[in-house]
Amino acid sequence: STTAGSTLWIQLQKILPYDGAPYDFYGSSVDITADGSLIAVVALRDDEKGAESGSVYMYYRNSSNLYGFTQKIVAKEGATQDLFGFSLDVDPLGQYMVVGAPHHKVNTSNFAGDAFMFAKLANGTWVEEELLKPNISHAYDDFGWSVSVSSNGHVLVGAPLNSDTLKHAGSAYLFQRVYSKKQFHWAELQELQASDTSEEQTFANDVSLSQDGIYGIITAAEDKDAGARAGSGFVFVRKGVACCCE
């Protein structure tokens, strides 16, 4: 049913991958820029870099107000069962994109996870800019389970199974795009945890930054304040160069 005077949505088009195959799980996650000019669609179990390695398809809106495929993105270091694209975020202005691969193997650590940063060139092509990982990686951290990027060059990456303090308490990591040695790179600024951290809290199972990167919300779906797996959310504000003030 509709409400009098409401604005109705109509289907504009159906988007399919040019190389779709069974069990690719195209559409596992998606994002769109604030002005609707760019769409990113994940095929989580695409096998471009090995079984279940994952990929992202980019589409731009053309002069006919339809979306045309422009680029397929895979991780340079992609490998079997990485699940590249398990999490995905394009900043609202369409300048940066972060893609999580929580099952990516780091050195010999299984499921340590990584996040891949991409930047858009002047011609609209996306290039992999850097591989993000915490200063200290652990097996089964699932770093990259959740991701968010602001328009001013801040990134939050969740590792909900991190056990730095307590088993599976979880952590989120803040990165910033900085210029040094005549090039841009992404530097880790801070590891964030809940003030009341506890075992199996899975802090950072989801994260989100405001467009200006000043505010962030980090959830803990298995927090126990109201009972087993009741869940909670933690709000942070950035002061200077680091998130604080939960």
Side-chain angles (χ1 to χ4, degrees):
S1 63
T2 60
T3 302
S6 64
T7 301
L8 300 178
W9 285 64
I10 60 171
Q11 181 177 311
L12 182 64
Q13 70 184 105
K14 183 176 182 178
I15 296 175
L16 296 171
Y18 70 91
D19 59 350
Y23 303 105
D24 273 358
F25 284 84
Y26 174 88
S28 298
S29 46
V30 295
D31 202 9
I32 188 169
T33 54
D35 64 359
S37 63
L38 169 71
I39 287 175
V41 183
V42 169
L44 186 61
R45 299 183 186 274
D46 188 16
D47 58 3
E48 188 89 0
K49 288 277 189 169
E52 300 181 355
S53 54
S55 63
V56 179
Y57 296 77
M58 309 302 290
Y59 301 84
Y60 282 96
R61 192 179 68 234
N62 58 33
S63 58
S64 300
N65 203 36
L66 295 174
Y67 289 89
F69 168 78
T70 59
Q71 186 177 358
K72 182 177 181 178
I73 295 175
V74 295
K76 290 179 182 178
E77 298 185 16
T80 297
Q81 294 185 332
D82 271 359
L83 299 184
F84 175 82
F86 184 88
S87 58
L88 165 84
D89 194 36
V90 181
D91 88 272
L93 300 182
Q95 307 168 101
Y96 311 115
M97 178 171 66
V98 57
V99 183
H103 287 185
H104 185 71
K105 190 175 186 178
V106 178
N107 299 321
T108 59
S109 299
N110 291 322
F111 295 1
D114 282 317
F116 296 81
M117 284 306 309
F118 296 85
K120 187 177 69 174
L121 302 180
N123 64 3
T125 300
W126 289 84
V127 294
E128 186 177 321
E129 197 167 55
E130 194 164 344
L131 175 64
L132 301 185
K133 60 183 70 178
N135 290 331
I136 301 176
S137 293
H138 307 282
Y140 302 100
D141 272 358
D142 275 351
F143 178 87
W145 185 273
S146 55
V147 296
S148 184
V149 58
S150 69
S151 294
N152 70 340
H154 287 87
V155 172
L156 266 180
V157 183
L161 298 186
N162 177 269
S163 302
D164 278 352
T165 53
L166 296 168
K167 182 182 178 182
H168 298 166
S171 295
Y173 298 83
L174 176 69
F175 296 83
Q176 182 178 12
R177 193 171 190 257
V178 297
Y179 187 79
S180 66
K181 297 181 180 179
K182 299 182 179 181
Q183 63 180 356
F184 285 102
H185 72 97
W186 295 83
E188 182 183 327
L189 297 182
Q190 188 176 357
E191 179 180 355
L192 303 171
Q193 292 185 318
S195 56
D196 60 351
T197 186
S198 60
E199 285 194 357
E200 308 293 347
Q201 192 175 36
T202 63
F203 177 81
N205 72 282
D206 204 3
V207 300
S208 186
L209 282 172
S210 60
Q211 181 174 344
D212 58 12
I214 294 177
Y215 297 95
I217 181 166
I218 302 172
T219 62
E222 298 190 40
D223 204 357
K224 306 173 184 66
D225 281 23
R229 296 182 173 176
S232 61
F234 299 82
V235 180
F236 291 80
V237 61
R238 179 171 58 87
K239 290 186 176 180
V241 296
C243 278
C244 67
C245 309
E246 173 195 322

